[in-house]
Amino acid sequence: MAVPLIEETRFRSIVGLARANFDPKLFEAEARIIEHSVSSVDREPLDDSHTKPNVRPSFLRWLATDPEAARFIDPKGIRVLSVTIPGQLDLNACNVPHQLIFHKCVFMEDLCLARAEVRMLGIADGEITKGILANGITVHGPILLRNLSIRGATQLIGAQIEGNLELRGTSLLSEREGLILDGAQIRGSAFLDCGFRSSGEVRLLNARIGGDLGFDSARLSGVGRALSMDKVTVEGNLSLSHGFESSGSVGASGSRIRGDFDCSGAHLNGADIALNLATATIGGHLYLRDGFESKGQLCLHSAQIGNSIACSGAILTHVAVAITLEEATVEGTISLCEGFCSSGWVNLLGANIGGGLVCDDATLEALYCVNMKLEGDLTWTGIHNPQKTSLCLNGASIGNLRDERESWPGPGKLLVDGLIYKELILQQPRTQANRQTNRYGKESEVKAFDRIEWLNLQPETDITEPQPWMQLAHLLEAKGDNSGSKRVVFEMRRHRAKPSGPVSRWMQVRFARLEQAPHRIAWYMLFLVLFGACVFKYAELKGAMAPTEQDAYITWSQGEAYGAAYPRFNPVIYALENDLPLIRLGQDDKWAPDANYRPSALIKFLSWLRWFLIVAGWVQATILVSAIGSRFKT
């Protein structure tokens, strides 16, 4: 192919400058670099079967920085193809007015660009035996490091990059520091994906990304901290998905992510805390789904999530507390469903959730929601092995509680002291068809019997606390189920009486029954009145009941009529007057057991019965008043 005259002229001009100002004896490979760099046509590098000739680092430095040579370089920049650079390429503090492109090159020493200024840096399909030292570099375009093998650290601390940063397919083989981007400012996006590998830590502390930050399919094998993004700011989305894998922990505490944080399908193998998002702010969704696995804790303490957290199908193992959202704020819904499995606790202590909390088709060790505030519904359905699952809602405030009997925790594993809710919804188990159409099972009417059984699942230490029982009683009363409300209160009283002695417990339970239905005491009164009436009737027939007035008594004792004006003895009214202290019908004042009657044992028994009826009457009246007053109070 014929070379354009203008390119021939440029080539001869730069070669002349090189021989005059750098070295009269240029290497053939160096002359080829000049030829490529003055041309507007991109050349293909040699295949790997060809030997890669040496090019002096000093020549590359001269070509990149010489102001006279710069006039002849094509706008496509300096293009170096299929060469070996045997020494350190030192461009520290240099102002390179061109794009620097290295394709299939081998760097035997460091590439130094600290505090340098370049238009663009592109290195592809090559090898850097040591590292890239570019702290403080300013790039007026992108940095493209694609399909490289870098054995030393890549340092870009405080870098200013006006385009994208790409390390797609690149392998960082240093076991200490892989990539350091602390304080870097990247106006575009950063992509460390498509087979990106790092044996050492990847660090972006206090970095700022103007677009997206992607680690899709990346593998980080560094121990301890594998990926450190504390206080990073990402104006777009942050993605650790599509098979992302990390041997060490991933830290992003205090980070600010305007879009979504997607960890779908990621495998986090870091011990202790595998993903640290404490105090982070995520403007969109947090996705921990579609095969996401973690062997360490997911820490979102005091994090702020602008939308939902989706954990569908996630598997969390090997830690006592699998997820902690303590004091976190989530504007949307938290979904622990579709096969979600956690061998540790899910901690929502003091969390504020603007949507719902869905636990469906899930396996959990414990859901700990003490003092949680949930604006939407708590759905507790399809729980696997519910007898081994603890549900702690102490002090929580939620919208509606939607559950099913088959998912209730085992005895002693339900904690609801201080729980406040708007509604309780008991439904039939969801079928597969229900889940596919995102529908719930058939709902049942709230019944006292069901929810008493539910509250009886509380631990013995909590079951006597009145708040859960009274919350349920008030709900039933608001629904017009006064009978059910009374039944709930009775169950509470029965539980509170258990620690007492046998007699005290019996009395408290009986009192609770009267408090539930005060009219029941009428049966006790009726029994005593009828019993007393029978005894006093028997005494009358035996002549043991006598008038109390002297004249009537004398006449009566002589067997004569004592006058029509004196009331005749009525055993029923007599017993009623003695049993009910507020009733006075003239029998108790006019008649009494005859002290002169023999045998005297009957008179003693009648006297004892009178006193018993009087005392029992006052006790019954006191209990009745107390029960009615307590009932209205509650």
Side-chain angles (χ1 to χ4, degrees):
M1 181 178 68
V3 178
L5 180 59
I6 188 171
E7 293 183 6
E8 180 68 23
T9 303
R10 291 174 181 174
F11 173 75
R12 293 184 181 278
S13 299
I14 295 182
V15 169
L17 289 171
R19 288 174 175 167
N21 300 326
F22 173 68
D23 189 342
K25 298 180 180 180
L26 287 180
F27 293 175
E28 180 181 350
E30 295 169 347
R32 191 179 300 114
I33 291 173
I34 294 175
E35 180 184 356
H36 294 163
S37 299
V38 299
S39 176
S40 62
V41 178
D42 291 325
R43 309 295 177 86
E44 291 295 325
L46 300 174
D47 60 45
D48 293 335
S49 63
H50 290 77
T51 302
K52 296 179 179 179
N54 287 345
V55 171
R56 288 170 289 182
S58 55
F59 164 76
L60 293 174
R61 176 184 170 86
W62 172 82
L63 182 64
T65 59
D66 187 83
E68 293 186 45
R71 296 185 295 117
F72 304 106
I73 301 295
D74 188 82
K76 289 187 176 181
I78 296 174
R79 283 155 283 172
V80 183
L81 310 178
S82 301
V83 302
T84 298
I85 304 168
Q88 183 185 78
L89 177 53
D90 185 0
L91 293 172
N92 285 340
C94 292
N95 186 349
V96 181
H98 320 291
Q99 297 187 136
L100 290 178
I101 300 173
F102 299 87
H103 197 177
K104 288 192 174 182
C105 297
V106 177
F107 293 79
M108 301 303 294
E109 296 289 341
D110 294 321
L111 170 59
C112 299
L113 288 159
R115 303 180 308 284
E117 184 174 354
V118 300
R119 287 187 58 195
M120 176 267 192
L121 176 63
I123 309 175
D125 302 312
E127 179 180 347
I128 302 178
T129 303
K130 290 193 176 179
I132 299 176
L133 308 177
N135 295 335
I137 188 173
T138 299
V139 184
H140 300 290
I143 294 181
L144 309 176
L145 308 176
R146 297 172 176 169
N147 301 315
L148 292 179
S149 174
I150 304 176
R151 299 186 179 278
T154 300
Q155 298 185 6
L156 292 160
I157 299 173
Q160 302 287 325
I161 304 170
E162 296 182 3
N164 290 345
L165 171 65
E166 296 185 13
L167 282 85
R168 285 177 161 159
T170 291
S171 297
L172 307 181
L173 305 177
S174 172
E175 294 185 358
R176 294 184 59 189
E177 294 180 342
L179 173 65
I180 309 300
L181 278 162
D182 296 352
Q185 303 285 321
I186 302 172
R187 185 173 296 178
S189 298
F191 298 109
L192 296 84
D193 54 10
C194 299
F196 174 79
R197 304 286 185 270
S198 179
S199 300
E201 180 182 10
V202 176
R203 222 169 66 197
L204 296 91
L205 305 180
N206 290 293
R208 186 180 186 90
I209 315 296
D212 297 333
L213 175 58
F215 289 87
D216 292 351
S217 76
R219 289 189 178 180
L220 310 181
S221 55
V223 295
R225 273 286 189 105
L227 176 58
S228 299
M229 301 182 290
D230 299 343
K231 296 185 179 180
V232 71
T233 298
V234 180
E235 296 296 331
N237 301 318
L238 173 56
S239 180
L240 282 69
S241 61
H242 296 90
F244 172 88
E245 186 172 337
S246 172
S247 298
S249 65
V250 175
S253 62
S255 59
R256 298 291 182 270
I257 302 162
R258 189 177 295 276
D260 297 334
F261 189 174
D262 189 357
C263 294
S264 300
H267 291 187
L268 307 182
N269 300 310
D272 297 329
I273 298 178
L275 176 61
N276 188 354
L277 288 170
T279 70
T281 299
I282 299 173
H285 300 270
L286 173 59
Y287 295 118
L288 307 168
R289 60 184 183 179
D290 299 337
F292 174 85
E293 294 184 13
S294 176
K295 294 183 179 178
Q297 182 186 108
L298 308 180
C299 178
L300 288 91
H301 193 297
S302 301
Q304 297 187 36
I305 312 298
N307 212 304
S308 300
I309 299 178
C311 299
S312 303
I315 299 176
L316 313 177
T317 58
H318 294 88
V319 285
V321 179
I323 306 178
T324 177
L325 279 152
E326 187 173 339
E327 303 296 336
T329 299
V330 181
E331 298 295 337
T333 294
I334 299 178
S335 300
L336 310 176
C337 52
E338 297 180 18
F340 174 85
C341 180
S342 172
S343 61
W345 286 29
V346 176
N347 179 12
L348 293 161
L349 172 65
N352 290 277
I353 305 171
L357 174 56
V358 181
C359 302
D360 177 65
D361 187 24
T363 302
L364 299 100
E365 176 72 18
L367 183 65
Y368 188 74
C369 302
V370 173
N371 297 331
M372 173 188 71
K373 290 181 174 56
L374 178 68
E375 296 294 330
D377 293 356
L378 170 57
T379 301
W380 187 259
T381 57
I383 304 300
H384 302 288
N385 298 321
Q387 295 294 312
K388 298 181 180 179
T389 302
S390 295
L391 176 59
C392 181
L393 298 169
N394 286 346
S397 173
I398 67 177
N400 302 323
L401 174 60
R402 182 184 297 274
D403 62 1
E404 58 189 24
R405 183 186 296 273
E406 291 76 8
S407 294
W408 286 352
K413 292 183 177 292
L414 175 67
L415 297 95
V416 291
D417 183 27
L419 171 65
I420 298 174
Y421 49 81
K422 296 177 182 177
E423 182 64 278
L424 295 174
I425 303 171
L426 184 64
Q427 62 185 43
Q428 298 298 320
R430 297 180 72 185
T431 64
Q432 193 62 34
N434 291 145
R435 291 194 171 91
Q436 290 175 354
T437 57
N438 196 28
R439 294 180 179 178
Y440 294 109
K442 183 179 179 181
E443 296 181 6
S444 302
E445 183 181 354
V446 180
K447 297 179 181 178
F449 176 82
D450 292 327
R451 287 304 168 178
I452 288 172
E453 183 180 349
W454 179 66
L455 288 178
N456 283 335
L457 298 174
Q458 297 179 87
E460 290 296 328
T461 54
D462 290 4
I463 204 167
T464 57
E465 294 297 329
Q467 190 276 336
W469 300 96
M470 299 313 301
Q471 169 86 355
L472 176 58
H474 291 153
L475 176 65
L476 293 170
E477 188 174 9
K479 290 178 173 293
D481 186 2
N482 294 324
S483 176
S485 177
K486 297 173 190 176
R487 178 66 183 176
V488 170
V489 174
F490 167 71
E491 286 293 322
M492 177 191 69
R493 299 284 189 252
R494 188 174 66 83
H495 282 295
R496 292 175 68 85
K498 281 185 178 180
S500 307
V503 175
S504 176
R505 180 168 61 250
W506 182 88
M507 293 180 64
Q508 290 183 55
V509 171
R510 293 301 175 271
F511 182 82
R513 287 190 180 277
L514 292 174
E515 186 177 17
Q516 178 191 358
H519 65 272
R520 288 178 176 173
I521 202 169
W523 295 104
Y524 293 96
M525 294 179 177
L526 180 60
F527 170 78
L528 291 177
V529 169
L530 292 178
F531 175 76
C534 293
V535 173
F536 292 127
K537 182 62 178 179
Y538 173 80
E540 179 192 14
L541 296 175
K542 291 293 185 179
M545 298 299 298
T548 57
E549 291 186 3
Q550 185 176 2
D551 294 341
Y553 178 78
I554 295 173
T555 303
W556 172 82
S557 63
Q558 294 174 354
E560 298 178 2
Y562 42 83
Y566 200 86
R568 298 295 182 264
F569 180 73
N570 187 317
V572 176
I573 296 177
Y574 188 79
L576 184 63
E577 282 192 86
N578 282 277
D579 189 49
L580 298 179
L582 301 180
I583 295 179
R584 286 292 177 264
L585 300 176
Q587 285 285 309
D588 187 51
D589 295 335
K590 300 297 183 178
W591 293 87
D594 185 5
N596 299 318
Y597 182 83
R598 294 293 180 270
S600 60
L602 178 58
I603 302 304
K604 291 181 180 179
F605 176 75
L606 292 174
S607 299
W608 176 86
L609 179 58
R610 285 188 67 203
W611 281 110
F612 174 77
L613 290 175
I614 292 171
V615 172
W618 280 107
V619 170
Q620 289 172 143
T622 303
I623 291 175
L624 180 62
V625 172
S626 299
I628 293 175
S630 178
R631 179 187 173 196
F632 278 104
K633 181 179 179 181
T634 56

